[in-house]
Amino acid sequence: MTSLWTVGVEQELFLVDPETRRPVPLAQRVVEEAGDGFDVQRELTPFQIEVATPVCETPGELVEQIRAGREHLAKAARAAGCRLMAAAIPPLGKAGPPPETDDPRYRLMEHSHRKLLGGQGVCGCHVHVGVPDQETAIHISNAIRPWLPTLLALTVNSPVMDTEDTGYASWRAMIWSRWPVGGAPPHFESAAHYELLVKSLIDSEALLDKGMVYWDIRPSANHPTIEVRVADLPLTVREVAVFAELVRALAATAVADPPQDEPVDPVLLRAAAWRAARDGIDGLGVDVRTGALVPAHEQAAKLVAYTSDALREVGQLSTVEEHLEWLRVNGSAAARQRRALKDDSDPRALVDRLVDWTLE
């Protein structure tokens, strides 16, 4: 079955040394080894690499492209003398700062945002859903905004940083929230409202350009899409695919059944995002309409119920429901990282497990 809503996924992954298990700055070499068959790009630091799917219509096509991208990058990484790792923060060592980089954009960011760039070597997953125009993109942004903490809770995969358990399921989310334009966006009245606010942020030098709009959801600066950026890089191919299908279903539902509620209070939404980053799907979450603490799995079940028609239309409702049950039994990627570290206190063993899970 073909969906009216096309989707594409960008995955950011780490490159690690097979001996030390620490991040290694070999992105350029991996890009060269990868060749032209896949959309492979360098990221903010040379310790990271990105692979993007083509525009996909069916769920089967999407999951196959996600898997193929990871497999191709893993092969290129091995040829370059390193390994590919699906984690949002490296459990051992640091991904930065870039060694003697001459990249002019990075140097400009370093001048404008200074120490803020330290520790920004983190990996996320961005899902693009095709939209006909920017007004539709803004409408979808407003509708998805209350669900952003739940989407983060489902994808948490960064509990350990440089051998230390941070106490958070997504430490990446906490690091990324330091940017002037990070976290959930405001509720916009129109596309013109969005453009005016972004222009003001650029004029104020809080942003260098539209590429630095780091909100958890935004109209893409380069594609006719709405881009959801809230997630940690999920650990496995299946988790990436389920996250992407939920985003696609949210976009479709927003247009088919526009929400009638008042906009969620930004302070409460920020608190919900913090709680999602701390506990993930395994703990309690904040109901953004009431402020009450509820099991995060209940919020996820509400998300699936809300998008059930759109999921059913592309044959993914049972797949998503089964995955949520699997998460209930096995825990989030963050919980699985912690269990692996508990089983073997050597963080190098955790890195090895993450490298294996990347292609699972």
Side-chain angles (χ1 to χ4, degrees), residues 21-144:
R21 278 77 158 193
R22 294 173 179 270
V24 61
L26 293 177
Q28 184 56 42
R29 193 179 304 175
V30 173
V31 169
E32 293 166 1
E33 292 288 349
D36 298 328
F38 287 77
D39 185 0
V40 176
Q41 305 287 336
R42 293 186 56 170
E43 256 301 319
L44 184 62
T45 79
F47 304 89
Q48 301 163 273
I49 198 78
E50 178 185 284
V51 62
T53 70
V55 176
C56 298
E57 293 185 343
T58 67
E61 179 187 9
L62 178 63
V63 73
E64 181 54 37
Q65 289 295 333
I66 293 167
R67 179 185 296 110
R70 285 197 178 194
E71 290 175 349
H72 186 76
L73 266 192
K75 183 178 179 180
R78 285 184 174 275
C82 56
R83 300 292 182 267
L84 192 70
M85 182 179 72
I89 283 180
L92 184 61
K94 294 183 174 68
E100 300 180 1
T101 181
D102 290 323
D103 182 88
R105 179 175 170 79
Y106 184 88
R107 287 304 180 200
L108 190 57
M109 290 172 67
E110 192 175 49
H111 171 74
S112 63
H113 292 76
R114 304 177 187 184
K115 191 66 175 175
L116 187 60
L117 261 69
Q120 288 297 330
V122 297
C123 289
C125 178
H126 305 160
V127 175
H128 291 256
V129 178
V131 293
D133 51 58
Q134 196 167 33
E135 288 294 349
T136 303
I138 293 301
H139 172 76
I140 292 171
S141 173
N142 289 340
I144 291 181

Side-chain angles (χ1 to χ4, degrees), residues 56-354:
C56 298
E57 293 185 343
T58 67
E61 179 187 9
L62 178 63
V63 73
E64 181 54 37
Q65 289 295 333
I66 293 167
R67 179 185 296 110
R70 285 197 178 194
E71 290 175 349
H72 186 76
L73 266 192
K75 183 178 179 180
R78 285 184 174 275
C82 56
R83 300 292 182 267
L84 192 70
M85 182 179 72
I89 283 180
L92 184 61
K94 294 183 174 68
E100 300 180 1
T101 181
D102 290 323
D103 182 88
R105 179 175 170 79
Y106 184 88
R107 287 304 180 200
L108 190 57
M109 290 172 67
E110 192 175 49
H111 171 74
S112 63
H113 292 76
R114 304 177 187 184
K115 191 66 175 175
L116 187 60
L117 261 69
Q120 288 297 330
V122 297
C123 289
C125 178
H126 305 160
V127 175
H128 291 256
V129 178
V131 293
D133 51 58
Q134 196 167 33
E135 288 294 349
T136 303
I138 293 301
H139 172 76
I140 292 171
S141 173
N142 289 340
I144 291 181
R145 186 171 166 265
W147 296 105
L148 290 170
T150 304
L151 292 173
L152 173 60
L154 285 166
T155 60
V156 289
N157 188 26
S158 50
V160 180
M161 184 178 71
D162 201 12
T163 75
E164 179 186 358
D165 190 324
T166 64
Y168 282 76
S170 175
W171 190 239
R172 177 209 61 87
M174 302 311 297
I175 289 175
W176 206 248
S177 68
R178 298 183 302 188
W179 287 102
V181 182
H187 184 278
F188 296 108
E189 298 301 323
S190 63
H193 179 202
Y194 171 83
E195 292 292 342
L196 180 61
L197 181 56
V198 170
K199 181 181 183 300
S200 298
L201 290 166
I202 293 172
D203 291 345
S204 72
E205 299 184 354
L207 305 178
L208 298 181
D209 50 41
K210 285 187 176 181
M212 281 188 70
V213 174
Y214 291 150
W215 281 316
D216 290 338
I217 182 170
R218 69 180 186 184
S220 172
N222 301 312
H223 307 287
T225 64
I226 185 71
E227 179 186 4
V228 175
R229 308 165 46 86
V230 70
D232 278 9
L233 174 69
L235 185 52
T236 64
V237 169
R238 178 175 66 174
E239 286 166 290
V240 176
V242 167
F243 169 61
E245 290 298 346
L246 280 169
V247 171
R248 171 158 55 181
L250 275 166
T253 304
V255 173
D257 185 20
Q260 303 300 316
D261 297 336
E262 291 294 317
V264 171
D265 186 284
V267 176
L268 193 54
L269 190 56
R270 181 176 174 84
W274 167 78
R275 187 74 187 217
R278 198 191 78 172
D279 290 2
I281 197 65
D282 307 299
L284 297 176
V286 176
D287 184 321
V288 295
R289 296 296 178 188
T290 67
L293 282 174
V294 296
H297 272 286
E298 286 187 11
Q299 293 295 96
K302 288 181 180 179
L303 170 57
V304 175
Y306 172 64
T307 58
S308 60
D309 287 346
L311 289 169
R312 188 181 293 109
E313 182 182 352
V314 292
Q316 290 298 291
L317 179 57
S318 62
T319 298
V320 172
E321 289 175 335
E322 289 166 6
H323 180 66
L324 289 190
E325 182 57 30
W326 187 90
L327 283 178
R328 189 187 299 276
V329 173
N330 293 278
S332 65
R336 281 170 269 153
Q337 279 204 45
R338 287 185 169 121
R339 286 202 303 269
L341 191 59
K342 184 177 180 180
D343 292 342
D344 190 331
S345 59
D346 186 347
R348 293 175 298 180
L350 173 56
V351 172
D352 291 342
R353 289 294 291 124
L354 288 168

